[in-house]
Amino acid sequence: MSARLEWLVDLGYLRKEGIPRNGFEYQFADAGHTLLADLDSRFADTNWVEAVAIPQWRQNAIWQALRLYVVKRIETAESVSAERLPAGERIW
């Protein structure tokens, strides 16, 4: 069963506490508590997947570097597009 939970460690929802002889126990990380709270509050929503995924994308510290990367890529794409527009035109 532990292999099925590794992805939750990778995303910061669980953490592993070491035990001698290469063993460990899973424990909830702070992000795990917010995930469960979001799931509990949105489970009855028609679009519960998006209703949980969007706040998790914004809140989970694991994705901070990726969020910054995405913003930089968007800003770069916008500036390149703006350079190609005739003078005075807006890109949005």
Side-chain angles (χ1 to χ4, degrees), residues 19-35:
I19 299 174
R21 301 196 67 145
N22 202 27
F24 57 87
E25 290 180 352
Y26 289 107
Q27 295 187 352
F28 271 108
D30 290 338
H33 294 288
T34 62
L35 175 63

Side-chain angles (χ1 to χ4, degrees), residues 25-88:
E25 290 180 352
Y26 289 107
Q27 295 187 352
F28 271 108
D30 290 338
H33 294 288
T34 62
L35 175 63
L36 287 179
D38 284 347
L39 287 168
D40 284 344
S41 68
R42 304 294 187 165
F43 188 70
D45 292 1
T46 304
N47 296 319
W48 69 270
V49 173
E50 291 87 0
V52 171
I54 292 169
Q56 288 300 306
W57 164 253
R58 292 177 179 153
Q59 296 169 11
N60 192 323
I62 293 289
W63 297 326
Q64 179 65 25
L66 182 57
R67 286 191 300 265
L68 292 173
Y69 174 78
V70 169
V71 167
K72 287 178 184 176
R73 294 286 297 194
I74 290 170
E75 289 172 351
T76 300
E78 287 175 348
S79 67
V80 168
S81 296
E83 290 170 4
R84 294 182 183 154
L85 290 174

